């Protein structure tokens, strides 16, 4: 975590955002995709993916021209990469509307600590 209190607060906000705000559409998508394909509701899937992509825009903006979400690798990146890789598995990422997040994902997946969980 950053030592600077304002950066530490921002890190906590980003982690909370990545879990709490994403939870409803993430769970809807996860539950729908675990059903037998014949029973899946494509409207629910499309709606959840759309909601998640809108929420991911915040991370697209946060990255900017930085390597990681807080500039340097931090707890924010370590906490959120498992969720981001699951979103990749669900077909939400990569997305052309989120190019910085796509580059970030590739950089994160190249890290030895992330390779260990993939």
């Amino acid at each position: 975590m950053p030592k600077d209190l304002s950066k530490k607060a921002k890190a906590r906000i980003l982690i909370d955002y990545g879990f709490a705000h994403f939870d409803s559409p993430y769970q809807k998508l996860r539950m729908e995709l675990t059903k037998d394909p014949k029973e899946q509701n494509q409207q629910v899937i499309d709606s959840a993916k759309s909601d998640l992509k809108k929420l991911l825009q915040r991370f697209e903006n946060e990255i900017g021209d930085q390597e990681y979400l807080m500039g340097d690798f931090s707890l924010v990146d370590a906490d959120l990469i498992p969720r981001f890789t699951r979103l990749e598995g669900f077909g939400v990422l990569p997305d052309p509307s989120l190019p910085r997040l796509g580059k970030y994902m590739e950089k994160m997946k190249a890290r030895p600590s992330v390779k260990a969980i993939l």
Side-chain angles (χ1 to χ4, degrees):
M1 289 288 280
K3 300 226 184 279
D4 177 85
L5 292 178
S6 64
K7 289 182 181 178
K8 188 179 285 191
K10 181 179 178 180
R12 289 183 177 154
I13 289 167
L14 290 176
I15 291 168
D16 178 68
Y17 179 82
F19 286 111
H21 288 77
F22 278 62
D23 195 54
S24 178
Y26 175 83
Q27 293 302 334
K28 285 179 190 173
L29 180 60
R30 187 179 70 81
M31 295 305 289
E32 204 60 36
L33 292 176
T34 58
K35 293 179 181 177
D36 184 272
K38 292 180 230 166
E39 296 175 15
Q40 291 177 358
N41 182 326
Q42 193 61 47
Q43 287 181 316
V44 171
I45 292 169
D46 293 343
S47 176
K49 285 182 175 184
S50 176
D51 290 346
L52 287 163
K53 288 175 187 178
K54 288 176 190 170
L55 291 167
L56 286 165
Q57 188 62 51
R58 166 120 190 228
F59 293 116
E60 176 76 8
N61 297 339
E62 289 291 340
I63 292 170
D65 60 355
Q66 306 177 109
E67 282 196 60
Y68 298 102
L69 288 164
M70 293 292 298
D72 296 320
F73 181 79
S74 71
L75 183 60
V76 176
D77 304 293
D79 278 352
L80 295 177
I81 194 62
R83 174 136 308 170
F84 289 168
T85 57
R86 278 181 248 138
L87 290 175
E88 188 175 47
F90 293 163
V92 176
L93 292 171
D95 186 88
S97 70
L98 304 163
R100 286 181 238 147
L101 194 55
K103 288 178 187 172
Y104 165 82
M105 288 288 296
E106 291 306 312
K107 187 179 308 149
M108 286 296 293
K109 290 189 304 183
R111 291 180 64 86
S113 58
V114 176
K115 283 182 182 181
I117 66 166
L118 295 178

